[in-house]
Amino acid sequence: MSIPPPGERRTIPLPLAAGHVGGRSGITCRYRCADACAHDAPNRSDNPYFGDLVRTAMSRRGVLRAAAVVTVGGGALAMTAGQAAAGPGGSQATARGGGSGPAIGTDFESVTPNTEDAVVIPTGYRQQVIIRWGDPVVGDAPRFDFDHQTAAAQEAQFGYNCDFAGLIPRDALGQDNWLVVNHEYTTEPEMFRGYDPDDPTEEQVRIGWAAHGLSVVRALRDPVAGGLRVVPSRYGRRITVRTPFELTGPAAGSELLRTSADPTGRTVLGTLNNCAGGVTPWGTVLSGEENFNQYFGNADQVTDPVAAERLARYGISGGASTRKWERFDDRFDLAVEPNEVNRFGWVVEVDPSDPDSTPVKHTALGRFKHEGATIRLTEDGRAVAYQGDDERFDYLYKFVSRGRMVPGNTRAARRHNMRLLDDGTLYVARLTGDSPAEEIDGSGALPADGEFGGTGEWVPLARGDRSLVPGMTAEEVYVFTRLAADRVGATKMDRPEDVEANPVTGRVYAALTNNANRGAAGSAGPDEANPRAGNKHGHVLEWEEAGGDAAATTFRWRLLLVCGDPESPDTYFAGFDKSQVSPITSPDNLAFDDHGNLWISTDSTGALGINDGLYVVPTEGERRGELKLFLTVPRGAEACGPIVTEDLVTVCVQHPGEIDGSSAERPGSDWPDGGGANPRPSVVGVWRTGPGGRGVGRIGR
Ligand code: FEO
Ligand code: CA
Ligand code: CA
């Protein structure tokens, strides 16, 4: 197929017809999130839409002025009052087309949207597979053999379906690094020929356990050729479904977290469905446990109404689980171990510098379907964690630590800093539009003031051991956070995924992936923060905390992007000329480069009939809103976990070849090995080869 590049008028194919809801293939939906879209959204709460009830007196100009000086990572960054008062994009009334050259860091020609079975990158760039499913991670890992895979081999090899990746420099120049990668889920029908989903073998189940979790490797930059090379080292580590984790924070030891194998409620085996994450300023990695619900069987045998309500709110229902793990380990059987499920759904923290360290699960960050957690520091060194709960009609959260970060790389400093996320205040977001409700009609048409925007507040749920939600104990707030947030009237969002703060301006961004159910019968209708009914393509939210203070409890927000085909009237690109931008659907993971450009990877192959990709959009100045497509991933794949440095971009290629009807016998892709081989989820690096502008391209000069 051929799709003309952005800049020319083009016709984007209509959404592909599919037997399931949304754009992903049926196999991906089943194995990644247990067909979440095919079920009713678990949020049945009738918590009111506060946008219609609350109008604060806070003026937009006042908040923006207050945000004139912001702090990121401990260093003060100044915006002039003039910039701040004008707002991030200047006037919203007329479409900007960009006058002079490209924004710094975006000097490449957009890739043409496509359906290739390849990673497609701009002219003048090179690419390299950094690590693939089955590649060695731990010293003595055997060579990958698709047809003779074993659990023992998998425990030493790179896991399946890489999602988040974090690069942590070990030296000042970033030549020597730890690369930490999540393995969100396994797709057994793609991994094993002859797989019988109704009757998996024990070895297949054990391979699945070993292919989940995280990998830690040492990776060296290649100063001559470019790219990133994984090398054997003593840091090589696999964390799997069987690795011990310590539960920390205010709910650790709670009765709600005790099981027959762990009567203390403080030690959990493994981590599940690790989706996005973040690198902390103290050099560790955070990773969110997302669709953990799908691994637990026999919810239908739970008769206690309180327990059943809690399970339902987390989307846990039915009899046998997709992978039938409950047949091989009782802890996955809710009828036998009702509390084991409460020990998943947390943010975990891993210290890559110590391969013998016990990773932790931080209960103070709450329990939900964590997309990830990203940290910024307040001016006085407290850690602020932004978090999304990736479910239709679920919420955005923020945590502010009580303690302050201790700088330095010593073991004592890291031990202190790894406790920061155990004590603080957990908040949930409530957003209020500033336009009359009748102007938000669900069509995506902008209201009369020219943008979707308004004010917001962070509503506290718990502080340390103290619950701030009437009728719930602190332990209940932390373990059943969704129910606590329902009670305080949090704003129901369209699948809040990654949240990232801009290192240049301090403004914060959240990807709202999509929500086809917005406005459907019995569901919440459009509001200014989620303005489209049947939102197939998602949007990107931008806000600044009051006074530029990351710990502030109020903020001012607007939508940066309303995604889709730019030719469609329901899309919006921060007021930029829509004939000059790339089509995008289903924003998922976010990253920033050093210039304050926002990089967005997508998760919905089918919704526009094009492969997923990695995009970049300037957030400031004349080019604000000029969305460009930097790369696309192979057929059936999702683009995940972007890392953007000044001279290297990496992206995780998750579930390549997962298309309807594909299986190990009928692979939907042969990427990356080619020659008809079965596809392998992999991390890919991309860099510029020749001279170029600043950003994404200094290697080779
Ligand atoms: Fe695993 Fe929300 O994507
Ligand atoms: Ca408005
Ligand atoms: Ca994701």
Side-chain angles (χ1 to χ4, degrees), residues 249-272:
S254 161
E255 250 176 64
L256 297 165
L257 300 178
R258 295 180 197 164
T259 64
S260 47
D262 174 31
T264 69
R266 291 179 184 275
T267 304
V268 190
L269 289 186
T271 185
L272 287 172

Side-chain angles (χ1 to χ4, degrees), residues 32 163 184 273 275-276 290-291 371 390 495 497 588 603 638:
R32 183 179 56 186
D163 195 322
E184 185 178 16
N273 213 263
C275 191
E290 194 188 8
N291 292 297
E371 178 71 10
D390 179 10
R495 292 186 56 195
E497 299 232 23
D588 185 349
D603 169 18
E638 173 180 343

Side-chain angles (χ1 to χ4, degrees), residues 586-607:
S586 307
D588 185 349
N589 295 138
L590 305 179
F592 275 96
D593 62 28
D594 290 345
H595 312 291
N597 299 309
L598 177 62
W599 293 71
I600 305 169
S601 63
T602 64
D603 169 18
S604 184
T605 295

Side-chain angles (χ1 to χ4, degrees), residues 88 92 431 444 446 450-454 493-494 509-510 512 527-532 535 538-543 556-563 572-575 624:
Q92 303 287 343
L431 285 81
L446 290 172
E451 72 179 8
F452 298 111
M493 306 296 289
D494 287 348
Y509 296 77
L512 287 309
D527 58 42
E528 197 160 346
N530 303 275
R532 284 188 299 191
N535 178 13
H539 50 281
V540 176
L541 178 74
E542 172 187 76
W543 71 89
R556 174 84 213 180
W557 62 267
R558 69 197 65 77
L559 299 193
L560 175 77
L561 302 176
V562 181
C563 301
Y572 173 72
F573 293 78
R624 174 177 158 90

